[in-house]
Amino acid sequence: MTSNDPIVLILVYLAAMVITVPIARKLGFGAVLGYLIAGAVLGPNLLGILGTSQEKILHFSEFGIIMMLFLIGLELQPSVLWKIRGPIFGSGGIQVVLTTLSIMALGLALGGSWQAALSAGMILSLSSTAIVLQTLQEKGALKTTGGSSAFSVLLFQDMAVIPMLALFPLLMVQSDPLRSAEVIAGAAGGTPSWLQALKVLVAVGMVIVSGKFLIRPIFRI
């Protein structure tokens, strides 16, 4: 059974949440595992209620993650963030760097190129902020010492995504420079890799500048 009606899909999501999440919490697994079980049951491999197209489901999930992170952000205080600036750049930086280098070394040992190994290392050094924060909140551990340390690492990971996105186009290099240039240009619509990286940095810079000199005055007004 498959339905493309958004209302029906919303009702299916809510019904699955009401059934699976309490069961998962009762068993001590948390709500996150309940959501995963519901998705597996409703997905194309079992009941097939959600169909095979995941684009509509992706929009639901993105909106849910954004709202959850927004609600968590409302509870944060700038003074608290300033106090944990050391753990953010200390513990968070060490975790990202060591994980990246470890996975990169493993990739090189398996015979991969350094570009592919570095890319895999950067990707696997990140974790899901939404899932981890949800779990910490459910356990009431977000305000504990361990929860604060985990939150610091997650914040640094989120910040590290920006330079990683700028670096990825530069790592799209194959053994044949001419062929790699064609692949990069084709993937980027004819734009060189260095220009792609520059666009990412400029876009991030525009967001930061507009947030400081434009958005804040609008909010004050």
Side-chain angles (χ1 to χ4, degrees):
M1 184 181 89
T2 302
S3 176
N4 293 322
D5 189 346
I7 302 299
V8 174
L9 291 178
I10 292 175
L11 293 176
V12 170
Y13 298 148
L14 293 176
M17 177 185 67
V18 170
I19 295 173
T20 59
V21 171
I23 295 176
R25 284 182 171 175
K26 189 69 175 180
L27 297 175
F29 295 129
V32 174
L33 185 59
Y35 297 138
L36 294 176
I37 295 175
V41 172
L42 299 175
N45 295 320
L46 291 178
L47 298 182
I49 296 178
L50 301 182
T52 57
S53 177
Q54 300 182 6
E55 293 184 1
K56 294 183 178 180
I57 302 174
L58 182 62
H59 295 317
F60 281 109
S61 63
E62 289 176 344
F63 182 76
I65 291 174
I66 290 172
M67 291 303 298
M68 190 194 73
L69 293 177
F70 180 77
L71 291 175
I72 293 176
L74 291 176
E75 300 178 2
L76 296 178
Q77 299 179 6
S79 58
V80 175
L81 292 177
W82 180 251
K83 289 180 180 178
I84 62 174
R85 65 186 184 279
I88 291 177
F89 292 96
S91 302
I94 292 174
Q95 182 271 321
V96 171
V97 172
L98 289 182
T99 304
T100 300
L101 294 178
S102 299
I103 297 176
M104 181 180 179
L106 179 61
L108 293 175
L110 295 176
S113 64
W114 70 268
Q115 294 93 342
L118 178 57
S119 298
M122 290 190 295
I123 293 172
L124 295 178
S125 68
L126 305 177
S127 56
S128 175
T129 302
I131 292 179
V132 176
L133 287 181
Q134 176 72 20
T135 304
L136 290 176
Q137 276 195 324
E138 290 179 0
K139 302 296 183 181
L142 192 57
K143 296 183 179 180
T144 64
T145 302
S148 299
S149 300
F151 181 68
S152 301
V153 173
L154 292 172
L155 281 180
F156 185 87
Q157 289 179 356
D158 293 339
M159 293 185 292
V161 170
I162 298 173
M164 287 181 183
L165 290 176
L167 185 60
F168 279 140
L170 301 178
L171 296 176
M172 295 175 59
V173 177
Q174 300 179 1
S175 57
D176 185 357
L178 296 178
R179 176 58 181 163
S180 64
E182 294 177 359
V183 173
I184 294 172
T191 306
S193 59
W194 65 268
L195 186 56
Q196 282 292 105
L198 182 61
K199 285 183 177 180
V200 174
L201 293 177
V202 171
V204 173
M206 291 177 61
V207 171
I208 296 175
V209 172
S210 63
K212 183 175 182 179
F213 297 103
L214 180 62
I215 303 301
R216 290 183 180 179
I218 291 177
F219 282 162
R220 293 192 186 100
I221 293 175

